[in-house]
Amino acid sequence: MTVTFSTHFIEFMGFSEAIGEGAITACFVSVTVYEARGIVVPEGFSEALSAQIAGANCRVAIAQSVNQGCQALTDGDDFVEAEPEWRKQVKSDGPFVLIGVGPTEFVECSAGSLRRNADGGLSTFNCFPQMHEALRSLEERVIPSLLSAMTCALNEPDLYVALRRLGRASSGKCPDGTQVQDFRIAIEGGEAHGSRFLDSPTLLARLDDIARMTPALNTKAAKFFALGVGESDHLKRFLYFFLALEIETNAVFARIDHQSQTVQLMSGRASPSAATLDLLSRQVKSLKALLDKFVWCVACAWTDLSESDVTLFKELKLARDEIAHGRTSEPPAGFSRSAEVLARKILWR
């Protein structure tokens, strides 16, 4: 749907100066903020790391203050003007995880309206539509993997950490350093939750894990995992997390050297003939059922998983099949959480 604002409304917002195409050139970054539910960080803590994911530059920060975290990502820019009021609006006291994406290439503005701010910066109205598309494209490539990695890194067997999206902002700079602002904040409701304190060394170690592990994540599986993290509906969460499980299982199964693994699994027994080994490896390689592939991955690649994990996967798959065949419209209670935990185990290796 296209919304058109009147000239009077635009002027009321302070955008009184008309500019022509190409009058301003700028590159842009976006910052997306999440509340890290389940942890408490030291007062004043704010640390960031840089990474390159899928060919895109990005940064991740963990901070007690959203503005301090944003400053670490963007060379000193605040996320909001008045953080205490913003915290009340989003019903969150942190801590916050911030993902910065960009900068984009320098782009020229389209025709539009301009407001010159008291601090020397510029605010534009509908002048950089191509920038929005460029940033969204970068975010689609980067954020699912980073969000999945962050969720996996912060969670522990006895600690459940959920990342709740609070808002997103974009800002840019001209070649001469003049700031161009274009903020869009999305607010979501809150829920009660408990938290555990994580000290600075632990948080720094988690950031290092994220930088090291994110590039190795299966991007397709991470995309569905991130969709599950951001979803509140239990049915959708369950299906997204199970899709991540299914995609990762198929990918790992395809990478296994089946003949070599067959030899290793049969070591210590009566030496089978080459023909027997060839038969067994061909039989394994031709497996089609998802459960059979999962079991073989556990035997060959995920050796730290237990028999209870195999049983859980079988139950999750049965629930998914019941939904797919229309015999039920909801997973059993707790299954979305169980699917998330098992998906974390196999993605974060």
Side-chain angles (χ1 to χ4, degrees):
M1 180 179 67
T2 300
V3 179
T4 302
F5 294 101
S6 69
T7 302
H8 294 296
F9 180 79
I10 296 172
E11 291 178 351
F12 175 77
M13 295 172 63
F15 296 93
S16 57
E17 184 177 342
I19 57 175
E21 184 176 352
I24 301 174
T25 301
C27 64
F28 288 81
V29 299
S30 73
V31 176
T32 305
V33 179
Y34 300 84
E35 175 191 20
R37 290 184 163 187
I39 63 172
V40 176
V41 304
E43 187 66 31
F45 182 88
S46 177
E47 292 290 339
L49 65 87
S50 299
Q52 189 171 71
I53 310 298
N57 294 321
C58 55
R59 304 198 78 193
V60 180
I62 300 177
Q64 181 57 42
S65 160
V66 70
N67 278 342
Q68 289 179 2
C70 192
Q71 289 165 13
L73 293 186
T74 60
D75 299 324
D77 296 336
D78 286 339
F79 187 77
V80 291
E81 292 185 2
E83 183 167 343
E85 286 73 15
W86 178 81
R87 287 176 179 241
K88 292 178 182 178
Q89 287 181 320
V90 299
K91 298 180 175 63
S92 174
D93 286 322
F96 304 102
V97 170
L98 300 90
I99 298 178
V101 178
T104 63
E105 299 292 332
F106 278 96
V107 293
E108 293 184 344
C109 71
S110 303
S113 301
L114 175 70
R115 183 180 68 199
R116 298 184 183 274
N117 303 321
D119 60 3
L122 305 176
S123 295
T124 57
F125 186 84
N126 198 30
C127 290
F128 290 91
Q130 69 275 48
M131 175 274 295
H132 297 297
E133 183 61 31
L135 277 179
R136 292 295 185 188
S137 178
L138 289 175
E139 290 169 349
E140 288 175 2
R141 286 159 49 191
V142 169
I143 288 182
S145 292
L146 277 174
L147 187 60
S148 299
M150 181 68 73
T151 302
C152 292
L154 292 176
N155 275 273
E156 298 175 359
D158 61 342
L159 171 64
Y160 181 67
V161 179
L163 298 182
R164 180 175 72 105
R165 187 180 186 275
L166 298 178
R168 173 188 178 274
S170 60
S171 64
K173 288 190 177 179
C174 300
D176 64 0
T178 301
Q179 187 178 53
V180 181
Q181 296 182 328
D182 182 25
F183 289 100
R184 286 171 172 79
I185 306 299
I187 308 300
E188 298 176 5
E191 297 175 1
H193 61 282
S195 302
R196 178 188 298 178
F197 179 81
L198 296 183
D199 58 23
S200 297
T202 300
L203 289 167
L204 292 173
R206 301 292 169 83
L207 284 171
D208 287 340
D209 288 341
I210 292 162
R212 177 173 51 87
M213 294 295 292
T214 301
L217 287 178
N218 182 318
T219 55
K220 290 184 179 180
K223 178 178 180 179
F224 284 107
F225 188 92
L227 287 170
V229 169
E231 182 57 61
S232 58
D233 181 86
H234 290 293
L235 171 61
K236 292 180 181 179
R237 283 176 61 85
F238 170 73
L239 294 176
Y240 283 141
F241 289 133
F242 191 87
L243 276 170
L245 279 167
E246 184 172 7
I247 291 168
E248 184 70 3
T249 298
N250 283 320
V252 172
F253 182 83
R255 293 197 299 266
I256 293 175
D257 183 340
H258 301 291
Q259 186 163 6
S260 174
Q261 289 296 331
T262 301
V263 172
Q264 290 185 35
L265 289 173
M266 296 190 69
S267 62
R269 304 175 184 176
S271 298
S273 66
T276 300
L277 288 174
D278 181 62
L279 172 63
L280 291 173
S281 64
R282 283 189 287 109
Q283 289 295 316
V284 171
K285 190 175 182 178
S286 64
L287 292 175
K288 301 297 183 184
L290 183 62
L291 177 59
D292 293 339
K293 290 182 177 181
F294 186 88
V295 171
W296 187 245
C297 288
V298 171
C300 302
W302 305 328
T303 54
D304 56 319
L305 266 62
S306 65
E307 192 65 32
S308 62
D309 292 314
V310 175
T311 301
L312 174 59
F313 182 83
K314 185 177 181 179
E315 293 172 349
L316 295 173
K317 183 181 181 303
L318 179 61
R320 194 283 304 269
D321 292 345
E322 291 289 298
I323 294 170
H325 296 147
R327 290 190 284 267
T328 184
S329 59
E330 290 286 338
F335 267 42
S336 62
R337 169 76 176 275
S338 297
E340 178 185 359
V341 171
L342 187 55
R344 283 206 312 267
K345 282 187 177 182
I346 69 170
L347 283 174
W348 192 247
R349 314 193 65 76

